[in-house]
Amino acid sequence: MKTNTMDTKTINVLNPLLEPFNTLHDTAPFPKLKNEHYLPAFQEAIKQAKAEIQAVIDNPAQPTFGNTVEAMEATGQRLSIIRGIFFNLNSAETNDEMQQIAQEVAPMLAEFGNDISLNEELFARVKAVYEQKDQLELTTEQQTLLDNSYQSFVRNGANLSADDKESYRQITAELSKLGLQFQQNVLAETNAFELHLTREDELAGLPDFVREAAALTARQKNKEGWIFTLQHPSFIPFMKYSDRRDLREQLFRASSRKGNQDNEYDNKEIIRKILELKLQKAKLLGYKTHADFKLERRMAETPAKVASFLDELHQASKPFAQNDLAEVQQFANENGFEGTIERWDWAYYSEKLKNARYGFNEEEVKPYFQLENVARGIFGLAQKLYKLEFKENKQIDVYHPDVKAYEVFNNQGEFIAVLYMDFFPRESKRSGAWMTDYRSQYVEKGVNKRPHISIVCNFTKPTETKPSLLTFDEVTTFLHEFGHALHGMLSQCRYASTSGTNVYWDFVELPSQMHENWAYEKEWLDQFAVHFETGEKLPEELIHKIVAAKNFQAGYFQERQLSFGMLDMAYHTQQEALREPVAQFEAKAMKPTELLKPVDGALMSTAFSHIFAGGYDAGYYSYKWAEVLDADAYSIFQQNGIFDQDTADSFRQNILEKGGSEHPMVLYKRFRGQEPTVDALLERSGLKK
Ligand SMILES: [Zn+2]
């Protein structure tokens, strides 16, 4: 019989996650990994990381940048590799057991994180270094690393008195409970309603795919007929296509009063409490408002800047939005509708107007976007702009036969990165598309450790007779994720935590969204977008239709996004607890952007999970911010040529290589020569007078 300790040791010796990988470029040894390796690997790696951190704390020498901040950065490397592999696979190639392990590992990692951020001895060392930062001769990236390290302690309450620390802990614990409860209430209210239809005539106007989905929902609930719910995939098509105005109204009213029905799931009081606690927390940490606290670590920096940003866009789009409204009203009247259109009429008549005007259909476009051709086009773009070569290498281990692994080289033949591409849906993969890494770029003992980057998508799979043909949306998704991947692959930083996509939250979508712009350029499309059967090029008029359809009701949609951003900022710039009723506060905040007549009992706030449960608090503006950045950055390519070498070099050197090593506004200005303006976005969306 072996003892437990022996057993652990035996496992560790054989655990590939705890051994040197001995693979090409030190890539993850996927075929060797088994579910039973993860938990012991996490336990061992956390133990190692703790010991490494303790060694930093116990260092008898005076704290210096090198023996404290830089030394901390170097701890826990094995843990971060294991973490990367496990959580990436848990998204892309999971199984029940892995999900179970994830549940077990999450609290272990949370506790480990707390052990660091609440460690007073460690903070004392970091603070000692931070206080002499002006005397230290640090590079810009080192200053950023020091600042990040110090701020992550301070923003978690490390500088507070013992009493205040206790209040801080209570506030954050209470906030996480309330956020969860808010979310659960929204979910309960979403699930509590169903529109159950049993007669064929109640389905008037609905396309087959909508009927089929509703019939499936009914069958799953053991009911006859068709069921529509408040879930987006059911709700949105019903509002778009149903000819039955009475039913649209019924569904709309149900959807818009979630969390506002004075029942056990009501969120109004929770909103009040959340806002109050966030304000208390901000004040405890020395900020005027919650927005001031949040924005300090963002590119936008201050509430005033966000306010003027939102207002500038609002002034520009309001007249266009009003015009969009007038057009839909007129179109509805011309098509037999009497009276003023209500909120439940908007999507319905908009859809019909859009069809009447552009009438282009996804299926017409898809044959020109065979996946292999699109990939070739995107690699070609990366070669033109950044001089990158992609070579598939089957010797690099992958975690599923669908995954392809590439070695990426620059034009001097130097190895730049490993890139995994995983395109097709399967049951073990979550939905959506994302970029991630298995290893970030950093420099260790003078060696530039190149990154291992991955793109995961859910594109249409090829069949025996047809290749994978992408929709236009999927083409832009590919470019988007590839843009993130370039940010990861081209990184030339010194520290992992400041490299690649480790940037401020409202800056991270610049490389991804900017690269989407090429999808609208004939010059680029001509290089690869040919019909998979006839070889004919994508016709120019189809490209024009795609662009026009994209800008349809741009004014209306912009106003809508701005209304959410403004509501978010209104709540989080309050300097006192909310006293007036939520409905009244919301009505006031949304008044400037209001287009359609308000509906009794309808409330945005009580279901606004983004800001009350989702981390977008004082951050909803970032959707528009990212668009402004990408359009503004791309306008330089448009001016100088979409393949202009100097512009691409500048984007690479000033943005893609720099990661989060400097403040994003500094990086951006270096590329652009000035701060971003809203002009290019307005121009691109057709919102310029
Ligand atoms: Zn993105």
Side-chain angles (χ1 to χ4, degrees), residues 480-481 484 509 512:
H480 181 104
E481 300 312 332
H484 282 310
E509 298 300 333
S512 53

Side-chain angles (χ1 to χ4, degrees), residues 74-360:
T75 64
Q77 275 182 10
R78 179 56 57 167
L79 179 60
S80 99
I81 294 285
I82 295 171
R83 220 176 162 140
I85 293 173
F86 178 76
F87 286 102
N88 286 335
L89 292 186
N90 195 36
S91 296
E93 178 64 1
T94 191
N95 53 55
D96 291 348
E97 213 177 321
M98 282 187 88
Q99 286 168 10
Q100 192 62 42
I101 296 167
Q103 299 284 340
E104 270 179 78
V105 165
M108 284 163 53
L109 291 171
E111 197 193 314
F112 172 68
N114 281 338
D115 283 351
I116 299 175
S117 64
L118 300 174
N119 191 308
E120 300 196 356
E121 288 168 287
L122 186 57
F123 175 59
R125 288 191 72 101
V126 172
K127 193 175 177 178
V129 179
Y130 185 78
E131 277 168 354
Q132 17 154 342
K133 67 175 171 167
D134 296 333
Q135 286 92 280
L136 306 171
E137 282 178 11
L138 300 179
T139 65
T140 310
E141 184 173 359
Q142 289 173 328
Q143 288 168 26
T144 304
L145 183 69
L146 173 57
D147 198 49
N148 289 350
S149 162
Y150 177 75
Q151 291 296 344
S152 77
F153 280 104
V154 172
R155 290 170 67 82
N156 280 301
N159 248 345
L160 299 176
S161 70
D163 280 356
D164 284 350
K165 263 187 192 148
E166 187 45 38
S167 314
Y168 178 89
R169 265 194 283 273
Q170 279 173 14
I171 291 172
T172 42
E174 187 67 11
L175 271 174
S176 68
K177 262 194 272 174
L178 287 169
L180 207 59
Q181 206 190 332
F182 185 97
Q183 188 60 37
Q184 283 165 354
N185 287 346
V186 174
L187 190 65
E189 294 264 278
T190 304
N191 294 337
F193 178 89
E194 59 181 44
L195 178 65
H196 185 196
L197 306 179
T198 49
R199 296 197 336 248
E200 193 86 34
D201 63 312
E202 292 169 319
L203 306 177
L206 300 177
D208 283 345
F209 81 94
V210 181
R211 291 174 188 225
E212 279 159 23
L216 181 66
T217 309
R219 278 203 299 281
Q220 282 163 345
K221 297 186 171 195
N222 288 319
K223 287 187 183 167
E224 295 287 302
W226 302 268
I227 287 179
F228 293 89
T229 70
L230 302 182
Q231 309 277 3
H232 274 236
S234 179
F235 175 79
I236 303 272
F238 194 89
M239 299 308 287
K240 252 192 205 173
Y241 300 116
S242 171
D243 292 338
R244 287 286 300 265
R245 187 170 195 238
D246 57 331
L247 298 176
R248 291 201 312 263
E249 177 176 353
Q250 203 182 325
L251 201 62
F252 180 86
R253 284 190 184 273
S255 169
S256 62
R257 58 177 182 243
K258 286 184 296 216
N260 183 32
Q261 306 195 75
D262 299 319
N263 58 12
E264 61 193 303
Y265 303 121
D266 198 280
N267 271 335
K268 293 193 288 287
E269 210 38 48
I270 294 180
I271 289 176
R272 202 181 295 283
K273 280 190 203 150
I274 289 177
L275 291 171
E276 189 169 355
L277 288 168
K278 283 187 174 163
L279 184 59
Q280 272 180 26
K281 180 174 141 188
K283 288 192 168 162
L284 210 52
L285 294 171
Y287 299 87
K288 214 161 64 182
T289 69
H290 181 66
D292 287 281
F293 167 66
K294 292 291 272 201
L295 288 165
E296 192 186 61
R297 309 290 287 171
R298 300 265 169 80
M299 186 181 182
E301 287 190 304
T302 64
K305 195 155 192 176
V306 174
S308 72
F309 167 77
L310 294 173
D311 190 58
E312 196 179 357
L313 289 175
H314 164 60
Q315 298 303 336
S317 49
K318 180 99 193 194
F320 287 92
Q322 279 162 339
N323 187 51
D324 290 339
L325 181 63
E327 278 181 1
V328 172
Q329 178 71 55
Q330 192 192 344
F331 178 81
N333 293 141
E334 283 165 8
N335 286 275
F337 177 81
E338 285 169 21
T340 309
I341 55 165
E342 300 272 359
R343 287 177 194 249
W344 45 86
D345 301 316
W346 174 261
Y348 178 74
Y349 285 107
S350 294
E351 178 67 19
K352 298 221 164 350
L353 174 61
K354 186 178 174 183
N355 266 336
R357 255 193 216 168
Y358 307 113
F360 98 94

Side-chain angles (χ1 to χ4, degrees), residues 22 58 69 82 92 109 121 133 213 238 249 276 375 384 395 470 541 546 551 566 580 600 604 609 619 641 650-651 653:
N22 292 325
D58 292 343
V69 178
I82 295 171
L109 291 171
E121 288 168 287
K133 67 175 171 167
F238 194 89
E249 177 176 353
E276 189 169 355
K384 262 211 150 90
Q395 274 161 353
L470 304 189
E541 53 146 323
I546 292 169
N551 285 341
M566 286 176 177
E580 64 193 303
D600 250 8
M604 172 66 200
S609 301
S650 167
F651 194 73
Q653 287 156 8

Side-chain angles (χ1 to χ4, degrees), residues 602-615:
L603 216 50
M604 172 66 200
S605 303
T606 48
F608 202 175
S609 301
H610 267 85
I611 66 164
F612 292 117

Side-chain angles (χ1 to χ4, degrees), residues 400-413:
H400 186 278
D402 280 353
V403 182
K404 288 186 172 171
Y406 295 83
E407 287 175 290
V408 186
F409 300 93
N410 67 12
N411 59 344
Q412 265 112 62

